[in-house]
Amino acid sequence: MIELSDVRKVFPARRTAGEVVALDGVSLSVARGEFAGVVGPSGSGKSTLARLVNLLERPTSGTVTVDGRVLTDLDAAGVREARRSIGMIFQHFNLLDSRTAAGNVEHPLELAGVGRTERRRRVADLLDLVGLADRHASRPAQLSGGQKQRVAIARALAARPSVLLCDEATSALDPASTTGVLELLRQVRAELGLTVLLITHEMSVVRAVCDSAVLMSEGRVVDGGPLAEVLARPDSALAAQLVPAPAGSGVGGDLVLVTVTDATPHGAVLQTLTAELGLSVEVVGGSVETVAGRRFGRLLLRVEGDDGRLDPALARLRAGGALVERAAAGDPRPQSDADDTPRPDREPDVQRLADAPDVQR
Amino acid sequence: MNDWSRIAPQLLDATGETLYMVGVATALTVLLGVPLGVLLTITAPGALAPHPLVNRVLGLVVNLGRSLPFIILLVLVAPVTRGIVGTTIGSTATIVPLTIGAVPFLARLVETSLREVAHGKVEATLAMGARRRDVVRTVLLPEALPSLVAGVTVTVVALISYSAMAGAIGGGGLGDFAIRYGYQQFRTDITLATVVLLLVVVQLLQWAGDRWARRLATS
């Protein structure tokens, strides 16, 4: 549905800053109906990525394809036409203060030349869909953050898009509003069969709604895939951020890190260590989260009384499908270099995203 | 000193002339100044339709108009005025320099107002597939409207002050009246009366403009 192919975006040098490579050869594919997340620290290029999908930002090179149309090959009129099928919501909502909630939702319909009666009916339906039927006459200034984002969602859906882009859509909201907005996004995705690309720096948002995600760093995709698959990879940098490994500092004995998923429960590991080997096992850290509707966690175990049989036992467990490994005391796992994505050599003097002027716009 | 029964009707006529000059000049200024302000805004670097050359030329023209003292402008544009109106004397003739003087003034105010509109709103609208002229029509101008009304009010007040200055070279209106009767005939009371009248007119306009801008901002 959304296809980015080897996309580069370079912001030319300005008086105050050198050349900025915001995206450095990114390829990304989102299937129809998928709820895909893009995560990464600020300045990693994720917002630029979202803005490329509807060509608010034109890539320096590479192609952008949405719903089978190669947007980068279209002329201005073609791009305008294509944008109607790509809804977008923003961190700061970007509603027009001069219009009511209903007027804001009506705006894209006016631009598309929809007749007045049809517009009215559609606006009423949309405000009903987002749960704000009673606030149609309110101005944005009279609405809470969560309500504003709901109006923005209704507006983004007005022209019946097939794709919805969410650029840090919950980053300006309190936790309760965030939950409400995320539930609404899931609901409209299911009801309207939307493909959603969600940009965020909040891992909790990805855990709550995404089917798949990519991790960006310095303008590149460094890890990604369906969450169930990503989380089952013990060395995944994205998994390490989604469910951080517990720290085992100041703990003696042998440390064993168990990755718990629906497919690889920890029961078998505990069974082997305690009953079979007769070791004393204690949980010293861990977290279990529900990610994409599945259970996922990491447990750090302290094992005492190893007589040399621990390593063979762990190897046997691994061979049996369990995600288990030894962890070093102090820093159980290095997180940043965990990805094994090959990185081609870069020009060392090109300034990277530290002070990219356009990233936060 | 008891000739006020003779002077009062003339004072009233002069007030009427001032309102006529300022009224017509305001209408023309809005008609020309708002589009010029829009052009200045959208051709700026990084704006909706960046065009450095057009932007620089327009900026130069506007700055030229703004930096010229109005009294000099009056004399400079006299040939233009004669070409359009047929004379350079009287209130109708004064409308030409008034408009020429106020258009760059308003254009800058319009530019400032439009630049205040958050870029995110423009972007959200472009993301809907809007044309650039739709963005100007449905986002920039409506969102900036309260501020635009305030800008027009400031321009009207400036026009009243310009129109009084035009009196110095026979432009008609209250300024003309104050010079011919108050200054040249040493009648300070007449000068004072015109000043009070000007003050009342300015106060009324400012009050009406503020009220209107506030209503737009809160409605």
Side-chain angles (χ1 to χ4, degrees):
Chain A
M1 194 67 184
I2 304 173
E3 204 79 46
L4 302 188
S5 158
D6 196 24
V7 168
R8 267 176 69 81
K9 176 70 190 179
V10 181
F11 294 104
R14 299 184 184 181
R15 244 164 295 155
T16 49
E19 189 181 71
V20 175
V21 182
L23 292 175
D24 192 3
V26 169
S27 295
L28 180 74
S29 173
V30 181
R32 184 178 298 271
E34 194 175 344
F35 206 125
V38 177
V39 293
S42 59
S44 58
K46 56 190 192 301
S47 271
T48 306
L49 183 77
R51 297 158 51 80
L52 280 171
V53 176
N54 58 6
L55 290 204
L56 279 182
E57 213 76 76
R58 268 199 177 268
T60 311
S61 65
T63 59
V64 178
T65 311
V66 177
D67 206 1
R69 262 187 299 199
V70 183
L71 300 195
T72 33
D73 287 350
L74 295 175
D75 60 1
V79 169
R80 283 200 300 271
E81 179 60 35
R83 280 175 178 166
R84 302 222 162 116
S85 60
I86 306 172
M88 187 168 193
I89 58 175
F90 305 83
Q91 177 172 8
H92 297 298
F93 325 121
N94 295 341
L95 297 177
L96 301 185
D97 299 310
S98 57
R99 289 173 177 245
T100 60
N104 270 289
V105 179
E106 201 176 358
H107 192 195
L109 298 170
E110 284 169 32
L111 295 172
V114 176
R116 177 179 284 253
T117 13
E118 170 65 14
R119 286 205 309 256
R120 291 278 150 83
R121 211 180 52 230
R122 188 105 183 88
V123 168
D125 286 351
L126 285 159
L127 284 175
D128 197 38
L129 175 73
V130 300
L132 289 175
D134 54 332
R135 302 305 301 266
H136 71 278
S138 301
R139 298 271 167 174
Q142 298 163 321
L143 299 173
S144 71
Q147 288 174 326
K148 281 185 211 172
Q149 197 59 291
R150 285 168 184 273
V151 173
I153 291 171
R155 177 175 71 171
L157 298 176
R160 302 181 195 278
S162 51
V163 170
L164 182 62
L165 304 174
C166 310
D167 187 3
E168 296 279 7
T170 58
S171 301
L173 301 179
D174 61 64
S177 303
T178 297
T179 308
V181 164
L182 291 177
E183 267 169 21
L184 176 62
L185 286 176
R186 277 188 79 89
Q187 179 203 336
V188 297
R189 190 273 295 254
E191 280 180 24
L192 308 175
L194 289 170
T195 306
V196 184
L197 185 68
L198 179 137
I199 313 299
T200 186
H201 67 274
E202 296 168 303
M203 296 298 156
S204 58
V205 169
V206 177
R207 285 200 297 265
V209 292
C210 289
D211 306 319
S212 69
V214 295
L215 173 67
M216 295 204 53
S217 173
E218 299 190 323
R220 299 175 153 268
V221 172
V222 294
D223 193 7
L227 289 191
E229 185 254 307
V230 166
L231 292 170
R233 261 196 347 254
D235 59 348
S236 158
L238 179 54
Q241 299 220 357
L242 281 170
V243 182
S249 57
V251 182
D254 294 299
L255 291 177
V256 173
L257 184 69
V258 188
T259 300
V260 184
T261 70
D262 284 339
T264 59
H266 58 283
V269 176
L270 295 178
Q271 173 86 19
T272 304
L273 296 181
T274 56
E276 216 174 284
L277 302 183
L279 302 172
S280 146
V281 174
E282 215 167 328
V283 176
V284 293
S287 56
V288 179
E289 302 267 5
T290 302
V291 181
R294 293 157 189 267
R295 196 166 59 112
F296 178 83
R298 292 177 192 279
L299 292 179
L300 189 63
L301 308 178
R302 181 174 58 190
V303 180
E304 278 170 8
D306 177 28
D307 53 2
R309 291 185 297 160
L310 179 59
D311 280 323
L314 291 181
R316 204 167 61 241
L317 283 164
R318 269 198 294 276
L323 302 169
V324 61
E325 61 195 287
R326 266 179 180 277
D331 183 18
R333 281 159 41 76
Q335 291 193 3
S336 53
D337 291 330
D339 64 291
D340 48 8
T341 315
R343 296 187 191 199
D345 288 331
R346 299 171 181 157
E347 306 142 52
D349 56 347
V350 175
Q351 186 192 346
R352 296 205 172 255
L353 292 143
D355 50 356
D358 296 273
V359 170
Q360 294 298 333
R361 245 199 346 221
Chain B
M1 278 298 175
N2 38 20
D3 53 357
W4 276 100
S5 57
R6 190 171 56 80
I7 288 167
Q10 294 188 38
L11 201 57
L12 207 69
D13 282 352
T15 310
E17 275 174 24
T18 293
L19 291 179
Y20 159 69
M21 287 188 288
V22 171
V24 176
T26 301
L28 290 173
T29 302
V30 169
L31 227 54
L32 299 170
V34 172
L36 184 58
V38 168
L39 273 181
L40 268 174
T41 313
I42 65 172
T43 56
L48 203 53
H51 202 302
L53 185 69
V54 172
N55 189 251
R56 220 163 297 155
V57 170
L58 287 180
L60 203 72
V61 170
V62 164
N63 284 345
L64 186 75
R66 299 255 291 116
S67 57
L68 231 68
F70 185 65
I71 196 88
I72 307 292
L73 186 90
L74 275 173
V75 183
L76 261 182
V77 302
V80 181
T81 310
R82 194 172 292 117
I84 297 174
V85 190
T87 173
T88 57
I89 309 291
S91 42
T92 303
T94 308
I95 290 171
V96 176
L98 280 181
T99 305
I100 293 177
V103 163
F105 183 78
L106 180 63
R108 277 288 180 223
L109 292 177
V110 167
E111 187 198 8
T112 312
S113 298
L114 297 185
R115 267 211 311 244
E116 295 282 304
V117 176
H119 191 64
K121 293 174 183 173
V122 172
E123 248 178 12
T125 310
L126 287 174
M128 294 171 196
R131 294 155 190 270
R132 288 184 288 206
R133 60 168 172 268
D134 291 331
V135 174
V136 173
R137 188 175 54 84
T138 67
V139 182
L140 287 183
L141 292 174
E143 287 292 295
L145 195 56
S147 159
L148 289 174
V149 167
V152 170
T153 308
V154 171
T155 307
V156 174
V157 171
L159 274 171
I160 291 174
S161 133
Y162 286 172
S163 81
M165 216 185 293
I169 60 159
L174 282 168
D176 198 11
F177 191 83
I179 285 171
R180 275 192 288 144
Y181 293 83
Y183 179 67
Q184 286 168 357
Q185 299 184 10
F186 307 106
R187 288 286 301 270
T188 311
D189 55 335
I190 292 181
T191 311
L192 269 175
T194 57
V195 167
V196 169
L197 261 174
L198 279 172
L199 188 71
V200 168
V201 170
V202 166
Q203 277 296 332
L204 277 174
L205 283 168
Q206 187 71 52
W207 173 78
D210 285 351
R211 221 177 113 94
W212 188 15
R214 228 182 2 253
R215 270 252 294 278
L216 286 170
T218 54
S219 67

